Amino acid sequence: MLHEIPPRSGAAFTLDKGQRLTVIDPQGEQVSDLLAFARHDIDEVISSGRTLDYLSRIFLTVPDPLYSNRSNIMLRIVTDTVGRHDFLLTPCSKDTFRIIYGDTEPHQGCFGNLAEALAPFGIVPDRIPVAFNLFMNVPVDGTTGELKVLPPLSKAGDHIVLEAEMDLIIGLTACSALQSNNGSFKPIHYRID
Amino acid sequence: MLHEIPPRSGAAFTLDKGQRLTVIDPQGEQVSDLLAFARHDIDEVISSGRTLDYLSRIFLTVPDPLYSNRSNIMLRIVTDTVGRHDFLLTPCSKDTFRIIYGDTEPHQGCFGNLAEALAPFGIVPDRIPVAFNLFMNVPVDGTTGELKVLPPLSKAGDHIVLEAEMDLIIGLTACSALQSNNGSFKPIHYRID
């Protein structure tokens, strides 16, 4: 069964150990922020810092594992038709739109959408860490350290598949930031097998 | 008054808004992991994801601000004689030494030292995020995304000064990972003005 996350919104759902989550970019050039929490103890959460350290790499693809703050593997990338995702940045928020875009009435962003979707699971906004930002294209200049948010490399139908290595709560968005999506808001599709 | 953090240990202390924290590498090539929590609400914590996003850069120096998870400025770098610090990696831990170094009886690392030092302030280990790793030299290959932990660029006496923009609890270490310090364990000095 295919689920649709409408543009500029988010969803949260459980994923059992051994299940596979397929996230599809149906139109191309759209970003989806992914969060993971251990279902049996929500204080265990996806960790960019642990993952980048253990992989010695900022760009992830097949067969890389995603670690928690307790150094356990939460998910593993088993299929990836894009090969470029971001694991440096926090989900866009009201403050992102205020600080980076200068919006006076800012959208709640992926952060607000994730907070709303995760609330029924008892997860509060302060517990939202750096997300694994699927399809987000953030190259880094190795000399200056400058980073840029460029259009995703994903074409219509591109997808990534992650297999759960523990019982999880997943947060997932169709991203709300113009810069991340090459200037237009699009849906995200996902499937659980 | 100069404080010494002995090799492979950590400290925690309060820093008032307007006070300046000077962290000195007395012998050179030593790393110090820095954490910051809002004193009046410890759920507000230093955020690499927010800071890198707002600065559009992974390397920080004067006069860069360090943001919290709530997008408030916690600290600002006002002096920096080194110019290379890391904001990608989580403090080294028992798991770091097990996974990266293959140690069978691993040291508790900066993570364990920070957890111990921060416990009296009510801060639990799961609340330790990506640290701002002073003097840590982690270049990133912009093409492959590969990161390396190289010897710090700091010489004996080099230092960084951070000014608090809110009342804070600070965690600070003399790093415990051989790779970060070019193979030897050294102290860190700090001063509050």
Side-chain angles (χ1 to χ4, degrees):
Chain A
M1 185 183 152
L2 200 67
H3 303 265
E4 174 160 312
I5 304 177
R8 296 193 113 181
S9 70
F13 47 87
T14 60
L15 189 70
D16 295 340
K17 182 177 174 174
Q19 282 189 320
R20 289 179 170 210
L21 169 66
T22 302
V23 183
I24 304 151
D25 180 355
Q27 300 177 19
E29 294 192 337
Q30 173 60 311
V31 165
S32 177
D33 290 6
L34 179 142
L35 293 178
F37 298 81
R39 197 181 322 158
H40 305 296
D41 185 348
I42 56 173
D43 279 335
E44 181 162 13
V45 54
I46 192 169
S47 169
S48 64
R50 292 270 166 244
T51 305
L52 304 186
D53 199 9
Y54 299 150
L55 295 179
S56 295
R57 214 176 339 99
I58 62 166
F59 300 134
L60 275 65
T61 188
V62 178
D64 290 331
L66 279 70
Y67 285 89
S68 75
N69 57 334
R70 296 181 191 167
S71 295
N72 298 310
I73 296 176
M74 304 189 100
L75 292 155
R76 189 178 296 274
I77 303 174
V78 293
T79 303
D80 179 9
T81 68
V82 179
R84 176 56 63 94
H85 315 280
D86 169 70
F87 212 177
L88 300 181
L89 305 180
T90 318
C92 60
S93 67
K94 273 193 181 185
D95 296 304
T96 314
F97 294 122
R98 182 176 54 77
I99 293 171
I100 295 186
Y101 293 81
D103 292 355
T104 48
E105 290 182 28
H107 189 272
Q108 70 175 3
C110 286
F111 187 87
N113 290 331
L114 286 164
E116 218 170 82
L118 290 165
F121 294 97
I123 295 163
V124 298
D126 283 330
R127 292 292 95 77
I128 295 179
V130 170
F132 185 49
N133 302 304
L134 306 176
F135 315 130
M136 191 173 187
N137 183 13
V138 183
V140 173
D141 182 313
T143 308
T144 64
E146 192 196 357
L147 62 84
K148 284 185 181 153
V149 179
L150 296 184
L153 302 180
S154 48
K155 310 289 178 211
D158 269 332
H159 56 279
I160 184 169
V161 185
L162 301 116
E163 183 169 318
E165 299 215 354
M166 61 171 75
D167 291 341
L168 296 171
I169 299 158
I170 296 288
L172 198 67
T173 70
C175 183
S176 309
L178 281 169
Q179 218 181 25
S180 305
N181 318 317
N182 204 14
S184 76
F185 303 123
K186 284 159 282 191
I188 283 288
H189 291 170
Y190 72 92
R191 199 176 64 224
I192 296 171
D193 299 289
Chain B
M1 185 183 150
L2 201 67
H3 304 266
E4 174 160 313
I5 304 178
R8 298 193 111 182
S9 70
F13 47 87
T14 60
L15 189 69
D16 295 341
K17 181 177 174 175
Q19 283 189 320
R20 290 179 169 209
L21 169 67
T22 302
V23 183
I24 304 150
D25 181 354
Q27 300 178 20
E29 296 192 336
Q30 173 60 313
V31 165
S32 177
D33 290 6
L34 179 143
L35 293 178
F37 298 82
R39 198 181 321 159
H40 305 296
D41 184 350
I42 57 173
D43 278 336
E44 181 162 14
V45 54
I46 192 170
S47 170
S48 64
R50 292 269 167 245
T51 305
L52 304 186
D53 199 8
Y54 299 150
L55 295 179
S56 294
R57 213 174 343 97
I58 62 166
F59 300 134
L60 275 65
T61 188
V62 179
D64 291 332
L66 278 72
Y67 285 89
S68 75
N69 57 333
R70 296 182 191 166
S71 294
N72 298 310
I73 296 176
M74 303 188 100
L75 292 156
R76 189 178 294 273
I77 303 173
V78 293
T79 302
D80 179 10
T81 68
V82 179
R84 176 55 63 93
H85 316 280
D86 169 69
F87 212 176
L88 300 181
L89 305 179
T90 319
C92 60
S93 67
K94 273 193 182 186
D95 296 304
T96 315
F97 294 122
R98 182 176 54 77
I99 294 171
I100 296 185
Y101 293 80
D103 291 356
T104 48
E105 289 181 28
H107 190 270
Q108 70 175 2
C110 286
F111 187 87
N113 290 331
L114 286 164
E116 218 170 83
L118 289 165
F121 294 97
I123 295 163
V124 298
D126 282 331
R127 291 292 95 79
I128 294 179
V130 170
F132 185 49
N133 302 303
L134 307 175
F135 316 129
M136 191 173 187
N137 183 14
V138 183
V140 173
D141 183 312
T143 309
T144 64
E146 193 195 356
L147 61 83
K148 284 186 181 152
V149 179
L150 296 184
L153 302 181
S154 48
K155 309 290 179 209
D158 269 332
H159 56 279
I160 184 169
V161 185
L162 300 117
E163 183 168 320
E165 298 214 356
M166 62 171 76
D167 290 342
L168 296 171
I169 299 158
I170 297 288
L172 198 66
T173 70
C175 183
S176 309
L178 280 169
Q179 218 180 24
S180 306
N181 318 317
N182 205 14
S184 76
F185 303 122
K186 285 159 281 190
I188 282 289
H189 291 170
Y190 71 93
R191 200 177 62 225
I192 296 171
D193 300 289

